Amino acid sequence: MAMYRRNLSISRITLAPVAPQHCHQHRSLYAGGFSLKNSSAAVSRTRGFRYSSRVRASSSSGPENTKFSVDLTDAEDPDDVLDVPNLRDKLKPRPSPFITNNHFGGGFVSNDDRVALSALRYASAESMGAECLSGHDDPDANCVLLPNFAIRAGARETIFMNPNETKVAIVTCGGLCPGLNDVVQGLVYKCADYGVPDGNIIGIQYGFRGFYDKKKRPVVLTRQNVEGIHLEGGTILGTSRGGADMDKIVRQIDIMGIDVVFVVGGNGGNAGAAAIQKACEENNVLCSIVGVPKSIDNDILLIDKCFGFDTAVEEAQRAIICAKTEASSAYNGIGMVKVMGRQSGFIALDASMSSGVVDICLIPEVPFKLQGRKGLFCYIEKVLAKKGHCVICVAEGAGQDILATRENETDASGNPILKDAGKWLRSEIKKNIHDVDMKYIDPSYIIRSIPTTSVDRIYCKILAHNAVHAAFAGFTGVVVGLVNTHYVYLPIPTVIQAPRKVDPKGKKWNQLLASIGQPTFV
């Protein structure tokens, strides 16, 4: 009997055979820095053979690379599921208001529906991306066991809240990202579809502090006043980072009689959502907390992609094409674009690939050196000699090991404070490569503040609808996301352990290198 590994470091999920003798190693690592044994995501049973999955991640409390191990010995066992908390034992079941039309003719999702978390099986340890197989394990990795299946998202035939009496709060947290208004609108529309009356849906202004900030009272959201907001960037509710008092938040949830809180945020926002859910439980405040994961960097674990990412890539590659025009129009021209990506280089990678004009892509996950025969400067000179110009795309978190980032210093959301890689690299190139015409473009705030593209607009709408379905189904402490091309509900603690990262040995990074001919700069 074989075991398999599922690679989550790129948006596609992959599987690889793992020797049975490594099972004990995975179990011992399971008890380490990223253990889920005290959360609702814990594995329901232990068996002799396991599927394991690898996630490229980083955390101040553990090793750089996190591996999720998935137990697939009994692949047909529907109880082997990544379970999520619920409030059903405290709520009264009732038929869905969509029964009359069989949910618009499409039917309902069963609570026993499952989404498999596996898609690909490696033939051998030599297959691309299979470096974590038997004999190839990363010594810095940490393995966390996960079950085989996730709970499928969607409308249930039985709901656990009375729509006519339900009061809903929506809050957006963290930095801006394309799609925030789309999600807010989708949440309001779907709550109204369920029958939540006007006046019972409120928007919390400027992040979590808006729950108790007397200067910024909650605003009422209705179908009428959110119509058309999806055509605008930003968020009509405002946003902020950190600074939240969880005790005050839970007290206000209780005082205002809020039954559901939708948190639209990234790792920091969802960590806040998990803290609110825990505090509600400890204080016997009956409220469903549901997250919609937002990350322009696309760095949420397990989820195929975050909303706004496709839009960010589209806008980033526009800036790269402009850099190409500038560079190719100058003698020894160098066009460099810095894009967002603190710890994960997905925007830089995808924008470089889609633009088709990038010569060099630098991301946080892949170290590089500047000097020497294999260094970055030498390669830039080779490109200039061959083409007469060079285009570089750099993620903001690239080269921080050279820049000596301020250790352990973070912003209000817990993100590491970085030095400006773009300006530093521009300066170093000018110092070391003579007679070049350097053009530097930083489109970061343009990228994150624009309206969504059509693909993201659809994705935001479906995420929002499934978040509302989760709340009315009685779930709490969950996020909704696309996993292996299907919408699922995941426990918040599972996805916020560490940022998801590009796998330097994986297929996606290799595809870019093969496409642009970039060597390794080490």
Side-chain angles (χ1 to χ4, degrees):
M1 184 179 297
M3 289 176 32
Y4 298 87
R5 186 176 302 282
R6 186 168 54 85
N7 180 358
L8 298 173
S9 57
I10 58 175
S11 57
R12 181 179 300 168
I13 297 172
T14 56
L15 284 178
V18 179
Q21 59 265 30
H22 282 261
C23 295
H24 294 295
Q25 180 186 9
H26 291 164
R27 282 199 293 270
S28 64
L29 289 171
Y30 170 53
F34 292 107
S35 173
L36 300 181
K37 63 182 179 179
N38 293 323
S39 78
S40 59
V43 177
S44 57
R45 63 183 60 79
T46 300
R47 300 191 183 97
F49 295 91
R50 300 186 183 280
Y51 285 77
S52 66
S53 47
R54 178 168 50 78
V55 178
R56 188 69 54 175
S58 69
S59 170
S60 58
S61 61
E64 184 182 26
N65 302 320
T66 301
K67 296 178 182 178
F68 284 163
S69 296
V70 181
D71 184 346
L72 290 184
T73 305
D74 187 357
E76 300 303 320
D77 182 1
D79 293 328
D80 188 25
V81 63
L82 185 58
D83 206 2
V84 295
N86 68 77
L87 302 170
R88 291 171 185 163
D89 60 334
K90 301 178 179 67
L91 300 170
K92 180 181 177 181
R94 64 189 72 239
S96 166
F98 303 128
I99 282 183
T100 54
N101 61 12
N102 193 31
H103 191 233
F104 303 95
F108 295 91
V109 170
S110 167
N111 285 325
D112 294 326
D113 285 353
R114 302 290 183 255
V115 174
L117 298 177
S118 55
L120 178 66
R121 173 178 175 175
Y122 290 127
S124 71
E126 284 68 43
S127 294
M128 180 185 296
E131 72 277 1
C132 286
L133 298 185
S134 174
H136 295 260
D137 282 317
D138 187 337
D140 297 323
N142 187 23
C143 290
V144 179
L145 299 178
L146 288 181
N148 174 22
F149 296 105
I151 293 176
R152 187 185 179 196
R156 266 63 176 171
E157 192 170 6
T158 300
I159 62 174
F160 290 83
M161 292 185 184
N162 183 350
N164 292 325
E165 300 174 357
T166 299
K167 190 165 186 180
V168 174
I170 301 171
V171 59
T172 53
C173 309
L176 290 184
C177 174
L180 287 168
N181 279 336
D182 299 71
V183 173
V184 170
Q185 183 192 69
L187 293 170
V188 173
Y189 279 6
K190 187 50 62 178
C191 285
D193 287 344
Y194 266 94
V196 178
D198 285 351
N200 277 25
I201 307 173
I202 61 172
I204 306 300
Q205 297 197 78
Y206 298 100
F208 286 129
R209 69 185 64 186
F211 275 100
Y212 52 83
D213 189 343
K214 294 180 181 180
K215 296 179 181 179
K216 293 296 178 181
R217 298 288 187 180
V219 295
V220 174
L221 300 175
T222 65
R223 273 188 176 274
Q224 289 70 35
N225 64 20
V226 300
E227 184 178 355
I229 65 170
H230 65 294
L231 303 176
E232 306 170 8
T235 165
I236 62 167
L237 299 179
T239 185
S240 65
R241 296 183 184 274
D245 187 320
M246 293 303 161
D247 290 335
K248 288 182 179 180
I249 291 174
V250 173
R251 190 178 304 121
Q252 287 302 117
I253 289 174
D254 192 24
I255 291 172
M256 292 189 287
I258 296 173
D259 302 294
V260 181
V261 175
F262 294 110
V263 178
V264 188
N267 279 311
N270 278 287
I276 294 172
Q277 188 262 329
K278 181 180 179 183
C280 284
E281 184 177 349
E282 291 173 348
N283 291 277
N284 295 316
V285 175
L286 200 60
C287 182
S288 172
I289 312 296
V290 180
V292 181
K294 164 200 71 75
S295 171
I296 198 170
D297 292 350
N298 201 34
D299 62 353
I300 304 293
L301 290 178
L302 287 175
I303 295 171
D304 290 359
K305 67 173 181 177
C306 298
F307 75 81
F309 175 70
D310 284 341
T311 302
V313 170
E314 179 68 21
E315 193 66 17
Q317 64 96 27
R318 293 181 191 275
I320 291 172
I321 292 173
C322 290
K324 164 72 172 180
T325 301
E326 289 284 353
S328 61
S329 300
Y331 176 76
N332 273 352
I334 298 178
M336 185 167 68
V337 178
K338 185 187 80 171
V339 297
M340 303 184 85
R342 288 176 175 271
Q343 296 166 280
S344 306
F346 288 102
I347 293 179
L349 195 165
D350 279 27
S352 296
M353 190 70 144
S354 63
S355 69
V357 300
V358 169
D359 299 297
I360 298 168
C361 178
L362 303 174
I363 63 175
E365 296 89 340
V366 180
F368 61 91
K369 65 178 183 179
L370 301 178
Q371 305 289 350
R373 185 170 55 87
K374 294 185 177 181
L376 176 65
F377 295 153
C378 183
Y379 186 70
I380 292 175
E381 291 174 338
K382 290 180 181 178
V383 173
L384 289 174
K386 181 179 180 180
K387 297 173 55 179
H389 67 277
C390 180
V391 179
I392 304 170
C393 180
V394 55
E396 61 180 320
Q400 295 298 314
D401 56 328
I402 306 175
L403 278 164
T405 305
R406 288 168 282 185
E407 190 173 358
N408 298 327
E409 194 170 351
T410 61
D411 63 17
S413 292
N415 300 309
I417 295 177
L418 307 177
K419 291 188 177 180
D420 195 321
K423 292 181 179 179
W424 161 75
L425 192 58
R426 176 184 61 178
S427 175
E428 291 299 312
I429 290 174
K430 285 184 174 182
K431 288 179 184 177
N432 289 274
I433 304 178
H434 302 295
D435 195 23
V436 295
D437 190 342
M438 185 85 180
K439 297 297 190 298
Y440 174 65
I441 301 173
D442 182 354
S444 299
Y445 290 102
I446 296 174
I447 289 173
R448 73 180 204 163
S449 61
I450 62 174
T452 51
T453 59
S454 58
V455 172
D456 261 329
R457 190 159 290 161
I458 294 170
Y459 188 38
C460 290
K461 192 185 302 290
I462 299 174
L463 286 174
H465 290 181
N466 279 313
V468 176
H469 294 321
F472 277 95
F475 292 117
T476 188
V478 303
V479 295
V480 57
L482 193 68
V483 175
N484 200 16
T485 73
H486 294 276
Y487 292 89
V488 301
Y489 297 135
L490 301 169
I492 294 176
T494 303
V495 302
I496 63 171
Q497 298 177 70
R500 172 173 171 253
K501 304 182 83 175
V502 174
D503 183 357
K505 298 180 181 179
K507 185 175 182 180
K508 194 164 188 176
W509 179 246
N510 179 264
Q511 286 172 334
L512 176 66
L513 298 184
S515 174
I516 67 177
Q518 176 178 321
T520 57
F521 304 119
V522 292

